[in-house]
């Protein structure tokens, strides 16, 4: 008597159907996984900004004023507010290594120039060392994700390139200035309504200077301006170099150079988060500002004494 045997395994068609189903499931799950990862990165980014804002407040409590943006001498290549708040970020060793009598670059302050701090790095962005193509040299420099707000103005907060006559530095536009200090009492628009820190984009090139965006360890890259809305593709900069747009592979930032020095530039807030940027206000709170914000609301948020009514 013959006994029939059960067939083992799958046919080719069945195997292809299973593979197709798995592929569809992966395609459905991948965006959710990516969104979850970005949410986690944004949460860490917010935590970093709160720590930096707290360091600013501890500095203010100790010295009764906010730190300088930096000094305008030596072509702006001076140690910025970043160096002054290091002790309040538990970075005393780096702070103790600083030579305040010399420029930040040019072979000086190598520990300061080369040490990347996680608290100053948004995990949604990739940190790079500028001018490091030949190893860590005299002009190599770290970049950071968070810069102070210098108001609705150009970087130097002066009349240069006053395109529309609306610079609000005339109303005390920024609490962070070159060669001048302020305390929190200068923020008459309200500490909960006024931006102290914001995100800036990290240049992915390691070759050459490539402008001041994210080079917050120096005076000439330590801030951003509120003249343009967050994540803008527009540019009215007068002081940055014409880098390759591929230096910012995720968001192409246009090259535009209209002449003048870095003080004429309008470095906008910029992030790798979809839809906007994180900002820390002068009261230490952190919020997400959509890139679609009304430009006048944004300009009002980024000046300290303009008296603007900010709509929600």
């Amino acid at each position: 008597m013959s006994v029939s045997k059960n067939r083992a395994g799958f046919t080719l068609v069945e195997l292809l159907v299973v593979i197709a189903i798995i592929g569809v499931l992966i395609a459905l799950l991948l965006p959710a996984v990516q969104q979850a990862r970005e949410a986690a990165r944004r949460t860490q980014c917010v935590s970093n900004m709160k720590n930096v804002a707290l360091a600013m407040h501890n500095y203010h409590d100790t010295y009764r004023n906010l730190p300088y943006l930096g000094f305008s001498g030596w072509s702006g290549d001076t140690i910025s507010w970043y160096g002054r708040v290091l002790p309040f970020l538990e970075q005393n060793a780096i702070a103790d290594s600083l030579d305040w009598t010399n420029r930040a670059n040019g072979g000086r302050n190598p520990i300061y120039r080369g040490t990347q701090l996680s608290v100053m790095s948004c995990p949604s962005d990739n940190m790079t060392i500028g001018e490091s193509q030949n190893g860590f040299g005299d002009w190599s420099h770290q970049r950071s994700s968070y810069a102070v707000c210098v108001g609705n103005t150009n970087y130097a907060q002066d009349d240069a390139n006053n395109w529309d006559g609306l610079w609000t530095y005339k109303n005390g536009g920024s609490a962070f200035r070159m060669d001048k200090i302020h305390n929190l009492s200068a923020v008459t628009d309200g500490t909960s309504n006024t931006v102290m820190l914001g995100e800036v984009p990290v240049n992915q090139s390691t070759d050459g200077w490539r402008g001041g965006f994210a080079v917050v360890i120096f005076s000439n890259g330590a801030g951003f301006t509120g003249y343009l809305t967050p994540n803008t593709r527009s540019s009215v900069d007068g002081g940055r170099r014409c880098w390759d747009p591929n230096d910012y592979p995720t968001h192409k930032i246009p090259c535009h150079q209209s002449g003048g020095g870095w003080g004429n530039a309008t470095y906008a807030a910029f992030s790798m988060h979809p839809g906007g940027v994180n900002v820390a206000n002068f009261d230490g709170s952190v919020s997400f500002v959509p890139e679609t914000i009304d430009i006048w609301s944004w300009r009002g948020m980024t000046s300290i004494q303009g008296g603007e009514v900010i709509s929600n």
Side-chain angles (χ1 to χ4, degrees), residues 55-67 84 88:
M56 286 285 193
H57 275 265
N58 287 336
Y59 181 98
H60 185 275
D61 290 345
T62 300
Y63 297 106
R64 301 306 182 198
N65 57 258
L66 294 163
R84 295 184 180 274
F88 304 97

Side-chain angles (χ1 to χ4, degrees), residues 117-302:
L117 302 181
S118 59
V119 72
M120 290 296 296
S121 307
C122 181
S124 293
D125 213 339
N126 295 316
M127 295 297 111
T128 59
I129 297 289
E131 299 188 71
S132 62
Q133 65 275 18
N134 297 317
F136 189 69
D138 291 351
W139 298 93
S140 299
H141 52 272
Q142 60 162 300
R143 291 151 172 159
S144 302
S145 299
Y146 314 117
V148 296
C149 179
V150 299
N152 165 26
T153 178
N154 60 340
Y155 197 88
Q157 303 177 55
D158 59 23
D159 276 321
N161 288 10
N162 189 1
W163 294 281
D164 58 10
L166 298 172
W167 302 125
T168 57
Y169 77 92
K170 295 176 181 177
N171 295 320
S174 173
F176 300 99
R177 300 179 68 93
M178 295 286 188
D179 302 319
K180 186 176 182 180
I181 57 175
H182 283 297
N183 56 38
L184 287 175
S185 64
V187 189
T188 58
D189 284 349
T191 56
S192 63
N193 300 322
T194 309
V195 174
M196 174 171 63
L197 298 163
E199 293 181 274
V200 289
V202 175
N203 195 308
Q204 297 302 298
S205 174
T206 62
D207 182 22
W209 167 235
R210 299 292 195 183
F213 257 147
V215 191
V216 305
I217 60 174
F218 304 147
S219 302
N220 60 11
F224 75 93
T225 66
Y227 186 75
L228 299 173
T229 51
N231 290 352
T232 182
R233 301 302 187 274
S234 301
S235 174
V236 288
D237 292 9
R240 72 180 181 191
R241 297 186 62 175
C242 285
W243 48 64
D244 187 336
N246 290 324
D247 290 352
Y248 300 90
T250 304
H251 298 297
K252 307 296 186 184
I253 300 178
C255 168
H256 182 95
Q257 185 172 357
S258 59
W262 56 266
N264 295 349
T266 53
Y267 298 131
F270 212 103
S271 83
M272 296 299 109
H273 310 301
V277 298
N278 290 311
V279 300
N281 295 318
F282 277 96
D283 66 349
S285 63
V286 176
S287 58
F288 189 74
V289 177
E291 61 192 36
T292 55
I293 186 173
D294 174 74
I295 190 169
W296 291 109
S297 294
W298 176 241
R299 289 177 177 181
M301 291 170 62
T302 53

